[in-house]
Amino acid sequence: MQDARRAAVVTGLGGWLPPRVLDNAELEQRLDTSDEWIRNRTGIRERHVVDPGLSTVDMAVEAGRCALRSAGSDVVDALVLATATPDYLCPASAPEVASRLGLGGVAAFDVNAVCSGFVYALATAAGLIAGGVAGRVLVVGSDAFTTLLDPDDRSTVPIFGDGAGAVVLRAGTADELGALGPFDLHSDGELTDLLVVPAGGAKQRRSADPRDHFLAMQGTAVFRQASARMAESSRVVLDRMGWSVGEVDRFVGHQANIRILNAVAKQLGLPPEGLVINVDRTGNTSAASIPLALTDACVAGSLHAGDRVLVSAFGAGLTWGSTALRWPDLPKVESPRVGE
């Protein structure tokens, strides 16, 4: 059970999606696929994608602004950016995000745990707060993941989308609504090749085969690992929180595809109505997935103050992790979709 020690408390939430919507009908025109196949395999009917000139930093700035407005203050002591698609290999993207948000000279750095990145970034920010290094932290997940895809690959293009989501954390006590509970984080580097962009890093800087610069994914193996690891990690967090599965009001899993979410829910014994799902309209947005799902759920009115919320993610690396909280009262949360 949680006690009244210093904790990180969610006090603001926001998200942002690129204006361009890519639906399954458009993919049917250029790939050997169909709307029916995509929906049956992934549950996705559309995703938002970046046009040329729109970057990870651009999206992070927009989501960060929304979260700061939600929190009612633009003052923070640090910014943690979760991303696997930084604007540059060097430097990190977080300092530019902080600068463009007018945050002054605050500490700002990137975390790369791919689709688990937001949970890892939350844990990092919670540690800064618990250790007294920061009183308020902006945590952003932003990925332009479609820039890593082979445009002719029918196995990856329908799955991924782009976007950004963010939360503001403040110092508080563990018995408050919004206080992040214990974290459970893991990795398995022996399975790096299940999800990898082979070229472009220090190991293989260039390749004569352009496909080496795109994401390679072993889908079946990833499905097995993701569903098993998220369920295992979720059980650990539930035990540390002192919650039974029946006490969970909402499960917010990484929005990879609907089959993985359903598989995790089945392994945990969670009812389908407890799942927060927006993958049908966003695709897999990597580190932005969880904050975007939370934002959509708040806007839709399906998250209420006091709800017991379980959060879990899985990503390349391999990495995975979970946390939990009782949802706070956030009266001001904007839609992440431009014009809504």
Side-chain angles (χ1 to χ4, degrees):
M1 295 292 290
Q2 289 181 277
D3 59 27
R5 290 175 297 179
R6 184 177 171 99
V9 178
V10 174
T11 189
L13 173 67
W16 194 83
L17 289 160
R20 186 187 168 203
V21 177
L22 176 62
D23 61 21
N24 292 345
E26 185 175 343
L27 291 180
E28 286 180 323
Q29 303 303 311
R30 63 183 181 88
L31 295 175
D32 180 20
T33 190
S34 67
D35 174 66
E36 181 182 9
W37 186 89
I38 295 170
R39 288 190 189 227
N40 288 341
R41 298 278 295 183
T42 69
I44 300 167
R45 58 183 172 86
E46 64 183 31
R47 70 288 294 148
H48 292 247
V49 299
V50 292
D51 283 321
L54 187 61
S55 74
T56 292
V57 166
D58 295 329
M59 294 189 295
V61 169
E62 296 292 345
R65 283 198 184 108
C66 291
L68 292 169
R69 284 197 295 266
S70 173
S73 172
D74 59 1
V75 177
V76 296
D77 304 305
L79 185 153
V80 184
L81 173 65
T83 187
T85 60
D87 281 14
Y88 309 101
L89 285 177
C90 176
S93 292
E96 183 178 352
V97 176
S99 176
R100 287 175 55 181
L101 287 172
L103 301 181
V106 302
F109 57 93
D110 293 1
V111 170
N112 183 357
V114 198
C115 297
S116 302
F118 190 74
V119 173
Y120 269 64
L122 283 179
T124 302
L128 293 175
I129 289 174
V133 176
R136 293 171 66 89
V137 182
L138 175 62
V139 182
V140 185
S142 181
D143 269 311
F145 216 78
T146 63
T147 62
L148 299 180
L149 307 180
D150 179 347
D152 298 320
D153 184 1
R154 70 189 292 267
S155 68
T156 58
V157 170
I159 294 173
F160 291 94
D162 304 320
V167 298
V168 178
L169 303 178
R170 63 165 175 83
T173 56
D175 57 354
E176 290 184 69
L177 292 184
L180 294 173
F183 286 87
D184 179 68
L185 304 174
H186 296 278
S187 72
D188 186 350
E190 292 186 3
L191 297 176
T192 294
D193 61 344
L194 295 188
L195 284 154
V196 63
V197 179
K203 183 174 183 179
Q204 185 179 354
R205 300 173 193 177
R206 297 176 184 84
S207 173
D209 187 345
R211 291 173 298 183
D212 287 344
H213 291 270
F214 296 127
L215 177 73
M217 180 175 69
Q218 298 180 38
T220 301
V222 169
F223 174 88
R224 294 196 189 104
Q225 288 288 329
S227 55
R229 300 304 193 183
M230 288 169 67
E232 291 170 4
S233 182
S234 294
R235 291 190 190 100
V236 171
V237 166
L238 289 175
D239 182 64
R240 292 176 182 171
M241 289 291 288
W243 294 355
S244 68
V245 171
E247 290 178 303
V248 175
D249 297 299
R250 291 288 182 267
F251 174 69
V252 185
H254 166 53
Q255 306 288 303
N257 71 53
I258 193 65
R259 293 169 60 239
I260 290 177
L261 291 170
N262 286 333
V264 174
K266 183 176 181 180
Q267 290 184 51
L268 291 175
L270 287 167
E273 58 269 22
L275 293 176
V276 169
I277 296 173
N278 74 340
V279 68
D280 57 318
R281 296 185 294 155
T282 63
N284 181 344
T285 55
S286 192
S289 163
I290 285 174
L292 279 171
L294 290 169
T295 302
D296 271 338
C298 275
V299 171
S302 58
L303 269 178
H304 307 97
D307 280 351
R308 290 180 171 86
V309 180
L310 174 63
V311 175
S312 188
F314 174 91
L318 300 175
T319 60
W320 62 95
S322 304
T323 190
L325 71 159
R326 291 175 61 218
W327 194 248
D329 183 14
L330 298 178
K332 185 179 180 182
V333 178
E334 305 167 27
S335 171
R337 290 164 180 78
V338 177
E340 286 189 4

